[in-house]
Each structure stands twice: as structure tokens, then as C-alpha cells.
Amino acid sequence: MGTAPGPEGVGPLQKDSKVAVVKVQAVGAAPRQVTMKGLYFQQSSTSEEITFVFQERENLPVTEDNYVKLQVKACALSQINTKLLTEMKMEKDFFPVGREVAGIVLDVGSKVSFFQPGDEVAGILPLDSEDPGLCEAVRVHEHYLVHKPEKVAWTEAAGTIRDGVRAYTALHYLSHLSPGKSVLIMDGASALGTIAIQLAHHRGAKVISTACSLEDKQCLERCRPSIVRLYSKDDEPAVKLQLLPHKHDIITLLGVGGHWVTTEENLQLDPPDSHCLYLKGATVAFLNDEVWNLSNVQQGKYLCILKDVMEKLSTGVFRPQLDEPIPLYEAKVTMEVVQKNQGRKKQVVQF
């Protein structure tokens, strides 16, 4: 029986031809790169349109220093503030999408002290994160993560953590809400409004809220304890009006020493507005939940907030309004809807 012809540049194979073939492939083949998909967005030159795209990413390198490698189990979707990214000089050709994550620690750097492989954690990726949360695995500094209670579902942890931070910041740090006080929460049936109402109730406050539709009103009426009503069931207008209150209306509603917390970054206060606030000793505060990550001095307080959000989820104080979980391949289309602010419930991708 003759010898079989070998690969080009290699002599005839010997009797142990299988071994010879293996050796040739091991020498000549390049090491296989493991890749995974991540979601990114690309902003147009006009800064008006955003395109979401999936891109292949190489497997993450060995974890170093204070960084944790995380297997993402769930990632919530929130609007991307492109204006803030521009102001922070953080423009990129492709920017990672998805920051509110929950998952399992796969690997830890040599200086990590809070976590070990196998821990269940949740957190918010920083604004300058190079990794998208909408990916199978991410790298994140340990100071942006907290332990997730075992009884809290992955989707609940990811879907609540950012709204929990926003509500906690508004009610605790900006308005100093205490038992017996009254608080008006606009659009209480929204994802953020729901968490804010629950936190305000937990702190012993009397809650008043507004609703954008009859469906939202019915949702708010199911809250326990109940929310103060501003009108009866017979007061529904014949034509549904989508009117936002004027700043003068809100300032007029404020009591002595009251606080108005707003996310409106371009709010303009005229001298009569300022004079009215002065007479009441009232204040206006701006809610920007990114400030916690923009100052390392506040890192301890920020971690306390994250831990408190997880604890309130575990004890049932927070009951988030989440939509049905979606798979990763639907994240692009769903993110387009979220960016246009067309959804009501929180959207969460489950891996």
C-alpha cells in the first residue's frame, strides 16, 4: 500500500498519519479568537439621529487590578443622553449601549476586595465604560457594583437599580423628605414615578401624583397605601388633554421651605419666580443621577444607595413596573423605541 500525499510543503505521511496531521495543524493554524456581540450606537453629524448596531467583540482580556469580569444575566434599557456625552467631551464613533446590569462574577483582579468569582451582583456601568452592558460579559470597576440578594430576580435588579438611584437622590438628598410631609410626583405611573411613590410611602410621606391617561390613573389607584386624589372619577375630561404644568403652577404649589426637584436642564427662572421662591424659602434642585459617578468623593454614599435599592427590592418595598423580558437579538429594535421615549414600562434584556 503506497503512502498518502501530505499537505503542500510537507513530505509523505508515515504510518501514524493522524498524528502527523495534528502536528501540522497545530503549528500552522492561528489561535482561535472567541468573540461575542455587543450593542453600540453611532450618532449622526447633525446630532439628531442615532443608529444602533451590533458589533463583534473579542473575548475580554485577563482581569486586572480593581476590575471585575461579569457574566451579564440582565441589562435594563434607558435613554441615552447624547447632549451630556457631548458636553463631557466623550464623543466616539461607536458608543456602548446598556449600563444597568446584573450578573455573576466570573473573574476578579488582584486588588479586588469586595467580590469573588460566583458572587451575584448588580450595578450601573460608568458613563465612560468601554464595554456595553448589552453583551454576554463586561469589565467593571468593583466600586460600581454591590451584591444582589439571592431572592431578587436578575431582571428586577437590573430594571430597578437606576430608577432607585434617581428616586433616592431626589427624595433623600435633594428634598430631604421626612415622615408627615407631602410630595407631588409627576407622572406617577412611569417606571421612575412608581419607584419614587413607593420610596415616598416607605418614608411616611403623603403622596400626590398626576396621571397621563385613564390607564395610568387606574394603575395609581391600585397603589397601597393609596395616593391622594386630585379629582373624582366623574371629572374625566371629554377630550384627553396632554398638558404639562407651567413652572408658575409648580412654584405656587410649593409650601414654605418646599423643594422642587426637576430633570429639566434648561429651566429658566424669571425674577418674579425667584421672588416667589424667596418669600417661601423654597428651593429648586436639578436631578442628574450621573453626578454620583462624576465625583469619587461621593463614592461611599453612592454605594450605600445601591445597597439600599437592592435591600428594598428584597423586602418588597420596591415593586418595579417591568415589561416582559426580551432576548438580546431584540435589543436593537427595543432600544430605538426607548430612545424615542415611546415606552411606559421598563424594558429589560435577559440573557
Side-chain angles (χ1 to χ4, degrees), residues 40-44 51 53 55 90-95:
Y40 296 79
F41 80 83
Q42 186 176 26
Q43 193 168 338
S44 66
T51 302
V53 295
Q55 289 189 340
M90 297 175 63
E91 298 99 330
K92 300 179 183 179
D93 292 336
F94 292 94
F95 204 92

Side-chain angles (χ1 to χ4, degrees), residues 187-191 193-194 197-198 209-227 319-322 344-345:
D187 194 11
S190 64
T194 299
I197 288 173
Q198 292 165 358
S209 185
T210 64
C212 296
S213 65
L214 179 59
E215 181 181 1
D216 285 354
K217 180 186 173 185
Q218 293 171 342
C219 176
L220 291 174
E221 288 175 342
R222 292 193 294 268
C223 290
R224 292 293 180 271
S226 60
I227 297 173
R319 302 176 302 280
Q321 295 286 338
L322 305 180
R344 294 295 291 164
K345 293 183 178 181

Side-chain angles (χ1 to χ4, degrees), residues 12-13 92 101 104 114 156 191 211 216 227 315 320 328-329 345:
L13 302 181
K92 300 179 183 179
V101 298
I104 301 174
F114 293 163
E156 288 185 347
D216 285 354
I227 297 173
T315 57
L328 179 60
Y329 65 83
K345 293 183 178 181

Side-chain angles (χ1 to χ4, degrees), residues 76 78 100 124 156-173 191-200 203 287 289 292 301-302 304-313 317-322 346:
S78 295
E100 302 124 84
I124 304 175
E156 288 185 347
T160 309
I161 193 163
R162 184 167 185 178
D163 286 332
V165 169
R166 299 179 78 190
Y168 202 107
T169 304
L171 298 180
H172 180 74
Y173 284 99
L192 171 59
T194 299
I195 298 299
I197 288 173
Q198 292 165 358
L199 181 59
R203 287 183 167 269
L287 175 60
D289 53 302
W292 295 109
K301 292 181 180 179
Y302 176 63
C304 285
I305 294 177
L306 295 183
K307 291 177 182 178
D308 193 65
V309 172
M310 289 297 106
E311 180 184 347
K312 284 180 169 51
L313 266 175
V317 174
F318 286 159
R319 302 176 302 280
Q321 295 286 338
L322 305 180
K346 196 75 172 181

Side-chain angles (χ1 to χ4, degrees), residues 37 69 91-92 121 123 143 182 203 225 235 298 307 314 316 318 330 338:
K37 286 186 177 180
K69 183 177 180 180
E91 298 99 330
K92 300 179 183 179
V121 299
H143 290 168
S182 297
R203 287 183 167 269
D235 292 333
Q298 304 292 330
K307 291 177 182 178
S314 178
F318 286 159
E330 292 183 7
V338 171

